[in-house]
């Protein structure tokens, strides 16, 4: 077990226990530690809250809709991480201001640059960093940012042998909902 001194700074704030988080250790060790720390009743049956049950139910639903082969409530695999990340990025672009301030433009450029350095898949992160050099974010409006991100996503899709998305439908997909009303 790591000592408090050997843990990252986010564990040394005096409020968290001196135990590794999942990002600080491998999943197998972390999950073993978590099983040990679950409070048990006198019969030895683990207690779960309604909130825990809800999280598991949502995750099972997410896994079914994502077509994942991994068991529910497990760390995301590379495909799931990519799918959920693109969802976040497209949603950020969808709700970006129509007429952003200079600060908002600077913030979104910083966001994408920082994101490309923090993304957990090293190969994907380096590829995205290179793409940003070749095609920097277009931040003048919600439309230009969403179209830029759609083109970036399509470049990745081509590399992965996946179909390209029709960028004329990007707001329909990520902000407004499909015209057929299926999102209503």
């Amino acid at each position: 077990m790591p000592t408090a001194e050997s843990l990252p700074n986010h564990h040394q704030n005096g409020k968290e226990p001196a135990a590794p988080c999942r990002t600080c250790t491998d999943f197998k060790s972390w999950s073993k530690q978590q099983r040990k720390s679950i409070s048990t009743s006198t019969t030895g049956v683990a207690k779960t809250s309604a909130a825990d049950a809800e999280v598991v139910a949502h995750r099972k639903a997410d896994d079914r809709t994502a077509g994942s082969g991994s068991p529910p409530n497990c760390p995301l695999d590379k495909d799931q991480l990519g799918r959920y990340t693109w969802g976040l990025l497209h949603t950020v672009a969808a709700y970006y201001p129509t007429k952003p301030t200079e600060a908002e433009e600077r913030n979104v450029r910083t966001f994408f640059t920082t994101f490309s350095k923090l993304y957990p898949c090293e190969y994907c992160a380096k590829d995205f960093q290179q793409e940003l050099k070749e095609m920097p974010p277009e931040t003048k409006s919600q439309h230009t940012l969403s179209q830029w991100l759609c083109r970036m996503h399509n470049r990745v899709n081509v590399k992965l042998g996946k179909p390209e998305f029709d960028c004329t439908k990007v707001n329909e997909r990520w902000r407004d909902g499909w015209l057929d009303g299926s999102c209503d």
Side-chain angles (χ1 to χ4, degrees):
M1 178 68 77
T3 64
E5 294 78 32
S6 68
L7 293 172
N9 288 336
H10 65 272
H11 283 284
Q12 296 178 19
N13 63 10
K15 296 179 184 174
E16 297 182 54
C21 65
R22 205 177 98 212
T23 59
C24 302
T25 187
D26 66 279
F27 179 73
K28 189 174 180 180
S29 298
W30 176 83
S31 104
K32 186 177 178 182
Q33 178 64 32
Q34 293 304 302
R35 282 192 299 273
K36 286 181 183 178
S37 67
I38 294 175
S39 59
T40 56
S41 68
T42 55
T43 61
V45 177
K47 296 178 184 177
T48 58
S49 70
D52 292 337
E54 187 175 338
V55 167
V56 170
H58 283 292
R59 184 61 197 270
K60 284 180 182 177
D62 285 348
D63 288 344
R64 282 193 303 274
T65 59
S68 168
S70 66
N73 219 23
C74 292
L76 299 177
D77 64 27
K78 190 173 79 119
D79 292 339
Q80 291 168 316
L81 178 62
R83 191 170 23 260
Y84 296 146
T85 297
W86 283 116
L88 170 67
L89 296 178
H90 282 292
T91 303
V92 166
Y95 291 93
Y96 185 69
T98 303
K99 295 180 181 180
T101 64
E102 286 181 27
E104 289 168 326
E105 288 190 60
R106 186 173 52 254
N107 288 342
V108 80
R109 285 191 302 269
T110 300
F111 169 77
F112 280 105
T113 301
T114 303
F115 164 81
S116 75
K117 295 175 183 175
L118 295 173
Y119 195 71
C121 168
E122 184 178 3
Y123 171 81
C124 304
K126 288 182 179 186
D127 184 67
F128 198 68
Q129 290 168 26
Q130 184 59 41
E131 292 288 351
L132 287 172
K133 287 178 186 173
E134 294 174 18
M135 202 166 84
E138 296 175 18
T139 62
K140 293 294 178 196
S141 69
Q142 183 276 328
H143 177 78
T144 60
L145 183 64
S146 291
Q147 291 298 306
W148 167 82
L149 185 60
C150 185
R151 290 190 304 275
M152 290 291 277
H153 193 166
N154 278 338
R155 287 171 75 145
V156 172
N157 283 343
V158 167
K159 291 176 190 178
L160 297 175
K162 294 181 177 183
E164 293 185 54
F165 183 80
D166 177 357
C167 291
T168 65
K169 298 184 182 300
V170 74
N171 280 344
E172 194 176 341
R173 167 63 179 94
W174 296 105
R175 188 188 65 191
D176 305 328
W178 296 114
L179 294 177
D180 67 6
S182 60
C183 297
D184 299 338

